[in-house]
Structures are given as structure tokens and as C-alpha cells.
Amino acid sequence: TWQRQRFPNNVIPLSRMSPLAKYFYSVTPEPTNSANPLVAANYFGPGVSNRLDHTETVRIDHRLGDRDQLFGRFTHGNRWAKSRSGGGGSPVMLDEAGNITFRPVRDDSAVFSWTHSFSPTFFSETLASGSNEDLFIYVGTDHINHADRLGMPNPFRETGLPNFSDTGFDMVYSYADNKRNNITQVISVDQNFTKIHGRHELQFGGRFRHERLHVLPDQQQVQGQHSFASGATALYDPGTGSAYGAVPRTGHNAANLFLGAMGSYSAQFVRKWYFMRAREYALYLQDNFKVNSRLTLNLGLRWEFYPAMRE
């Protein structure tokens, strides 16, 4: 008959508090004013937004002799940032498990150059460079398996905090940004030669470039999406017929949270890493031909080959 009994004095006993509610209450900031949360917001506080950048560079120039000169540079950069995130302006959880996003970025690059003179009319330049950029975006204590710790479903064995919404007072406990990671690695080698012969300045050489792109696409709701929007604590209205219906002004999502009674649950399966590769090959020949003191012809030919990107 869908009938229910009210709790004595219309108050849920503390003994019925769910472990999930006990955890959420322990990581929710205390109210900063006395407003009734059913009527107005009772918490006001700063929105976290911190960022730290630093870059270090080392450069070396060295002349080995009259014919050889070396140059090298290495640069390391790091950016660390965190900011409040979450629906409805919810504050950061006290244990930073949710409602806060971290965005660390690491950049490393290096260049090496060797210039060699075979003769006064023939010399070469060898240039090699490489770079690595690692951009990672995640929420809170992403390394912790919160779903298992809290007794929640976790079909894909994911870490990080699941999303919990519709708690009754506009407080959301969420993995508010999608975890994702881009790692870009590039290596290139250029070999250039210059030969002067009479009125001809011949330039020729080639390039090899190799790129690796490791991508973790947006991991949207892989930890699970939970909602407390349900009629678990409402009285049944028999006037609604065979479908369940609640008596107006009975039940509350905060009471559902207290009991640990979910309204809905879902989880998405998202592919993990893509490992993509791309290459470039090039050769060139150029003749800067000085016809006379008033006319120079720049004649050149370049061949480039880009194989299809593969994964």
C-alpha cells in the first residue's frame, strides 16, 4: 500500500545517521551566519584561487677552436594552480576531497647546436631540440579510492571522489572538473650545410621531427554520479493512483542524505589513454646565384613528407 510510519515526533533518530552523512557533515564548513538554510545561504567565504609559476634556464656557449662552436640550453618550467570548483557556489570540502581543482603543468625543453667549418667556403650547422609538456587536471584527493572507502558502487575501480548532488541545502560534494592529462613530446634534428663556389652559394640539408602525444580524455563521471533527490522520506499520497506520489510538503533531500537513501546513480565508461605518433621528414636545396652586382637569383627545391598520424 506504500504506506509509511512517521518517525517519533517527526525527528529522525541520530542512530539512523548513515556513515555517508557522517562523513559529509565532518567535511562541510561550519555556517558563518545564522540564516535558515531552507530560506537563504548561511555560509560565505573566500573562493580559493592560488597559482605559483617558476622557470629556470641554463645556457652554455663554448668555442672548441677556430672550426667548432657549441651552444646548449635547458629550460625547466613549472606551474601549480588550484581553485574552487563545484555547483551552486559550494565551498571546498575541509579535507579537499572535492569542490577544488588542481592544474599542475610541467614544461621542459632543450636545444643543442654545433657549428663546424670544413673550410672557409664550406661549413655546417647541426641543431637538435626536444620538449616535453605535461598538463594534468584533477580534483581534490584524486589518488584516494573514495567510492570504496564510502561503500559506494565503483564498477570501473576509479579513484577520486564521486559526485553527490541534491543534498537538500544546495551543498554539492563533487568532482567538479573532468580529470584529463595531455603529455606532448617533440624531438627534431636539423642538418644544414652551406657551400660557396664562385658566384653560387649553395644551401642544402634536411630535417627529422618526431612527435608523441599521450592523451587521457575527459574522464567524465567515471567515479559515479549520485543524487539524493527521491521520495524516500516523504509520505505516500494515495490520490496519485498506481504511480508513487508524495504528500506535498513532506520529505526532504537532507533527510534522504541523513538516512543514506539515494535517488539515482549512474557511472560512465570512458576510454583511457590514447598514444599518438606523428613524424616529419624534409630535404632542401637552394642556390643563391649572383648573376651580377644588381641581380641575384634564389633558386630552391624542398621535399617534405608527413606520414599519417597513428595511434
Side-chain angles (χ1 to χ4, degrees):
T1 60
W2 301 86
Q3 295 304 312
R4 290 173 171 162
Q5 289 184 325
R6 294 177 181 265
F7 286 105
N9 299 318
N10 205 31
V11 176
I12 303 175
L14 285 177
S15 60
R16 295 291 302 274
M17 181 190 296
S18 67
L20 188 62
K22 186 175 297 185
Y23 165 67
F24 284 153
Y25 296 159
S26 71
V27 296
T28 303
E30 293 289 336
T32 56
N33 61 49
S34 58
N36 184 339
L38 287 172
V39 178
N42 64 355
Y43 175 85
F44 294 90
V48 177
S49 181
N50 297 332
R51 175 169 164 173
L52 175 65
D53 294 79
H54 67 87
T55 303
E56 298 83 38
T57 297
V58 177
R59 170 173 173 155
I60 297 176
D61 292 272
H62 184 62
R63 182 179 295 275
L64 296 176
D66 294 337
R67 291 177 175 267
D68 297 280
Q69 183 171 323
L70 302 178
F71 156 75
R73 176 190 57 78
F74 175 76
T75 299
H76 168 72
N78 215 333
R79 185 185 77 192
W80 181 88
K82 70 175 182 179
S83 59
R84 189 206 65 81
S85 56
S90 299
V92 176
M93 296 169 61
L94 295 179
D95 61 353
E96 292 194 338
N99 299 348
I100 186 169
T101 298
F102 294 88
R103 295 177 176 85
V105 184
R106 174 173 175 167
D107 288 285
D108 295 292
S109 64
V111 177
F112 171 78
S113 174
W114 172 36
T115 302
H116 176 70
S117 297
F118 296 96
S119 71
T121 61
F122 184 33
F123 47 91
S124 72
E125 177 195 42
T126 303
L127 181 65
S129 64
S131 65
N132 179 82
E133 180 185 72
D134 189 340
L135 167 63
F136 188 29
I137 296 177
Y138 64 96
V139 171
T141 51
D142 179 75
H143 61 285
I144 297 177
N145 189 328
H146 289 282
D148 288 358
R149 183 175 66 87
L150 298 174
M152 297 291 104
N154 192 10
F156 307 125
R157 315 306 304 166
E158 294 287 347
T159 59
L161 183 76
N163 290 329
F164 296 89
S165 60
D166 297 308
T167 64
F169 296 109
D170 291 332
M171 177 66 186
V172 175
Y173 306 88
S174 71
Y175 200 103
D177 206 340
N178 297 327
K179 177 167 65 175
R180 53 198 183 273
N181 198 179
N182 284 352
I183 302 176
T184 306
Q185 299 170 336
V186 180
I187 297 175
S188 63
V189 178
D190 290 86
Q191 181 62 60
N192 304 307
F193 295 97
T194 300
K195 174 64 177 176
I196 299 175
H197 181 70
R199 288 184 292 171
H200 297 270
E201 181 188 69
L202 299 174
Q203 296 176 330
F204 57 96
R207 156 177 283 195
F208 170 74
R209 179 183 174 95
H210 179 68
E211 297 187 31
R212 303 172 64 176
L213 179 60
H214 299 173
V215 177
L216 178 69
D218 284 35
Q219 302 295 294
Q220 185 177 35
Q221 296 183 15
V222 294
Q223 300 91 349
Q225 172 74 29
H226 306 74
S227 169
F228 292 99
S230 72
T233 54
L235 295 177
Y236 171 61
D237 183 0
T240 59
S242 59
Y244 177 86
V247 174
R249 303 178 67 84
T250 65
H252 198 273
N253 287 349
N256 303 333
L257 167 62
F258 190 95
L259 293 171
M262 293 286 180
S264 63
Y265 165 77
S266 65
Q268 298 186 32
F269 174 77
V270 180
R271 172 172 168 166
K272 300 302 179 185
W273 288 92
Y274 290 82
F275 300 97
M276 290 175 280
R277 303 287 186 271
R279 289 187 174 183
E280 171 192 349
Y281 303 89
L283 296 172
Y284 74 94
L285 170 64
Q286 181 167 319
D287 182 7
N288 301 317
F289 175 44
K290 189 172 184 179
V291 180
N292 53 49
S293 60
R294 301 181 61 185
L295 176 63
T296 300
L297 300 180
N298 302 115
L299 309 174
L301 178 66
R302 185 176 181 88
W303 172 85
E304 295 180 347
F305 177 51
Y306 299 89
M309 180 179 288
R310 61 190 179 90
E311 196 277 322

